[in-house]
Amino acid sequence: MPTLLETLTYQPVELAFGTSGLRGLVTDMTDLECYINATGFLRFMAQAEGLAPASTVYLAGDLRDSTPRILKVMAKAITDSGHHVVYSGLVPTPTVAYYALTKLSACIMVTGSHIPDDRNGIKFYKADGEVLKDDELSIKEAVAGVRAELYALEAEKSEFSGDGSLKHHVTLPPEDATAAHDYKLRFRDIFDSDALAGKKVVLYQHSSVGRDMYVDMLQAMGATVETVGRSDKFVPIDTENVTPDDQAYFKVLAKQHPDAFAIVSADGDADRPFVIDETGVFHRGDVLGAVVADWLDADFAGYPVSASDAVDKHLTDRHIHWQHTKIGSPYVVSVMYNALRAGSKRVVGWEVNGGFLIGGDLQVNGKTLKALPTRDAFLPIAAALVTAVQSGKPISGIFDELSQRFTQAGLINDFPTEVSKQIIQRYSEDTPEARAALGQCFSAAHGFGNITKINSLDGVRMYFDNGDIAHMRPSGNAPQLRIYSVANTQERADEIVAKAIAEPGGIFRAIEADLQKQV
């Protein structure tokens, strides 16, 4: 009898880990592929983490069109692995992650975060929090074992058809709203009911899974909330790729709501915050993190090397120890855990996308803010708004207190992954040759000075003698190349990004052409 593999009518594409979780095209995320990865994760949990038989595994998802189907596959994988599934509904990633953490249980979140709707993803959590980079190899090995077993089954005995879909219909368990309730309660415990009294907050809802929950949470802090931009179609808005159209929309909202204290939003799975001031200016997550660290009276902060150097100076001036990491929440989590082991007491971390993490329980206003070592969007939003209220300043004013360095980020699509790898390999060492070669592309004609240093902790980060910083970094799971900029003016920061990603004759395409000539 033919095996399942022999009867597949398509070429399987294996899911791969990106900076945080699995991501892939929806067409590649067949029922079979998703089931293999979830079952492999649960096998890893049993073998390496002591997940006992008949354990509870929590499950949730975002608002993408493909999410309900994948959720059903996850539920089946959990049940088939001998565990009990609790479905927490369509809620923010930090909602189900926090609840599972309080229960010392594993959880699975189906989300592609901010990426377009033709893609999706799966994020796994262990009983003590995020899957870390050190776990990925063991998970991959477990997944490979499951894959081999399922592919070798006789096709007639397999539960999957030749197109990779399940043969039989699967239903999700009834929704359990406890995770959502406890997530809201977490913030009601530390923010007073009049913390934002008299303040109007405009909430850009689009397709964020936190769009309704955030209304309740902001109102619980005393704010008057006006919602805008709700969408039935998924909107792949990204805090690390705020486009000119996004910026223009924020300005329009500020003009339409001149009495707004702030405009706020979050990405698709509500773990990346948008804090937009009363003038319609978006404030990037790296500087937002510094504001939140101040409010929490942190003594240690971990954040990626792509952050503005204004953050480094701000924390140094306040005697807060800090450490740069590679890009991705697992790296930030690892640094936070190391700081706790070294004796730091108030340990926090964040990413340039604004997702904020807390390493251990903190006392805030005499109340306990429980640890949540995964990206959260609501805490930085609430902390920034409360900071402004407490200081008697507008939202713009609390960011004016930081050193006036300006940042921007963007990306270019359809940039060959192999070319990105060649860039990293070629410029991984800070040598005169590497500086000279990069200087041919990041040249005086584009307004750059001489390169004084190259940092290759994660990607290629160039420092110029005129104060500019340009940071190239390939995507972990898509044919994209990102650019992060830092400059002395916002116009210059924007210009660096625009010149890098311009089509067809921008800096990135020039680097690509140069490398292809050398092949």
Side-chain angles (χ1 to χ4, degrees):
M1 297 294 292
T3 65
L4 173 62
L5 180 60
E6 291 169 337
T7 60
L8 292 181
T9 58
Y10 64 99
Q11 181 60 46
V13 176
E14 297 181 9
L15 294 179
F17 281 100
T19 53
S20 179
L22 301 170
R23 299 265 178 86
L25 288 167
V26 170
T27 51
D28 294 332
M29 296 183 70
T30 61
D31 293 352
L32 175 58
E33 182 63 22
C34 293
Y35 183 90
I36 287 171
N37 280 271
T39 304
F41 165 67
L42 295 169
R43 183 173 295 183
F44 157 80
M45 288 294 297
Q47 295 172 344
E49 297 289 323
L51 183 68
S55 293
T56 296
V57 178
Y58 295 92
L59 177 65
D62 66 13
L63 296 177
R64 293 165 186 274
D65 289 341
S66 60
T67 292
R69 172 182 64 83
I70 299 173
L71 282 170
K72 293 174 183 177
V73 178
M74 295 297 101
K76 180 171 174 56
I78 294 168
T79 302
D80 288 355
S81 297
H83 302 298
H84 175 61
V85 58
V86 172
Y87 175 52
S88 296
L90 303 180
V91 296
T93 296
T95 299
V96 67
Y98 175 68
Y99 188 60
L101 190 64
T102 64
K103 300 297 183 182
L104 297 178
S105 298
C107 75
I108 299 175
M109 177 72 185
V110 178
T111 179
S113 187
H114 57 283
I115 60 179
D117 198 30
D118 65 343
R119 298 171 182 268
N120 210 328
I122 305 170
K123 192 165 184 179
F124 299 129
Y125 286 84
K126 303 182 295 183
D128 60 353
E130 284 196 24
V131 163
L132 301 181
K133 289 299 175 182
D134 291 343
D135 301 316
E136 290 183 5
L137 178 59
S138 295
I139 294 174
K140 290 176 183 178
E141 291 173 348
V143 168
V146 173
R147 187 184 304 280
E149 293 169 13
L150 292 182
Y151 280 0
L153 281 176
E154 291 182 9
E156 288 188 356
K157 296 180 180 179
S158 172
E159 296 192 62
F160 296 89
S161 301
D163 62 359
S165 63
L166 281 165
K167 292 178 180 177
H168 304 291
H169 181 69
V170 176
T171 58
L172 284 170
E175 182 177 333
D176 184 323
T178 312
H181 172 270
D182 284 10
Y183 182 73
K184 294 178 183 178
L185 187 61
R186 178 173 190 258
F187 295 102
R188 289 179 186 174
D189 283 346
I190 62 165
F191 291 112
D192 293 335
S193 60
D194 61 351
L196 298 177
K199 303 298 183 184
K200 175 182 172 180
V201 178
V202 174
L203 175 62
Y204 174 34
Q205 290 188 304
H206 60 95
S207 55
S208 174
V209 74
R211 60 189 182 185
D212 294 323
M213 183 181 291
Y214 278 20
V215 174
D216 296 339
M217 296 167 75
L218 289 166
Q219 288 177 341
M221 295 173 64
T224 298
V225 181
E226 183 156 348
T227 60
V228 298
R230 191 181 184 91
S231 174
D232 292 330
K233 181 180 179 181
F234 189 81
V235 179
I237 190 168
D238 181 3
T239 57
E240 287 188 283
N241 186 31
V242 177
T243 66
D245 286 345
D246 294 330
Q247 294 172 3
Y249 180 59
F250 299 155
K251 288 287 188 179
V252 168
L253 289 178
K255 289 181 179 178
Q256 291 176 342
H257 303 275
D259 56 339
F261 184 61
I263 303 164
V264 301
S265 188
D267 70 330
D269 69 324
D271 70 349
R272 298 179 176 212
F274 286 82
V275 173
I276 300 146
D277 68 29
E278 71 285 353
T279 71
V281 172
F282 165 73
H283 294 277
R284 210 167 70 133
D286 49 357
V287 292
L288 173 61
V291 169
V292 183
D294 280 348
W295 186 77
L296 290 173
D297 193 26
D299 62 10
F300 176 88
Y303 50 93
V305 65
S306 53
S308 167
D309 53 358
V311 177
D312 304 343
K313 184 179 186 303
H314 181 82
L315 298 182
T316 299
D317 290 346
R318 283 158 175 72
H319 307 290
I320 299 173
H321 297 292
W322 54 270
Q323 182 177 340
H324 285 164
T325 73
K326 290 185 176 182
I327 296 169
S329 56
Y331 297 111
V332 176
V333 172
S334 294
V335 163
M336 291 196 305
Y337 286 164
N338 289 340
L340 287 167
R341 285 191 288 268
S344 295
K345 302 299 183 184
R346 301 183 69 85
V347 173
V348 302
W350 61 90
E351 295 193 79
V352 174
N353 59 45
F356 202 88
L357 307 87
I358 297 178
D361 293 354
L362 300 177
Q363 292 299 306
V364 179
N365 297 327
K367 301 172 184 176
T368 300
L369 178 63
K370 290 284 188 179
L372 181 53
T374 197
R375 286 194 301 262
D376 180 42
F378 189 78
L379 176 63
I381 289 172
L385 270 56
V386 169
T387 294
V389 169
Q390 292 175 341
S391 63
K393 298 179 179 179
I395 297 297
S396 60
I398 62 174
F399 292 100
D400 288 343
E401 295 181 356
L402 278 75
S403 297
Q404 291 304 292
R405 294 279 277 164
F406 299 87
T407 59
Q408 190 52 274
L411 60 82
I412 189 169
N413 287 304
D414 300 319
F415 196 88
T417 302
E418 285 304 315
V419 176
S420 294
K421 291 180 179 178
Q422 291 174 33
I423 291 173
I424 302 305
Q425 291 170 356
R426 183 175 182 185
Y427 305 117
S428 61
E429 294 185 16
D430 185 7
T431 64
E433 293 77 14
R435 295 184 189 182
L438 284 169
Q440 294 296 312
C441 295
F442 292 87
S443 65
H446 295 301
F448 293 99
N450 294 317
I451 298 175
T452 61
K453 183 173 68 172
I454 298 174
N455 183 322
S456 57
L457 175 60
D458 194 349
V460 176
R461 188 172 180 87
M462 296 156 280
Y463 297 79
F464 299 85
D465 60 9
N466 66 344
D468 290 345
I469 298 174
H471 185 162
M472 299 185 290
R473 179 181 177 274
S475 169
N477 43 37
Q480 298 172 327
L481 186 63
R482 288 185 180 272
I483 177 76
Y484 306 90
S485 67
V486 185
N488 289 322
T489 67
Q490 188 62 59
E491 291 74 16
R492 177 57 182 162
D494 294 345
E495 182 183 36
I496 292 171
V497 170
K499 288 181 178 296
I501 65 176
E503 295 279 25
I507 295 172
F508 281 178
R509 292 304 183 192
I511 294 174
E512 178 186 5
D514 180 59
L515 288 173
Q516 289 177 340
K517 289 178 184 178
Q518 301 176 38
V519 175

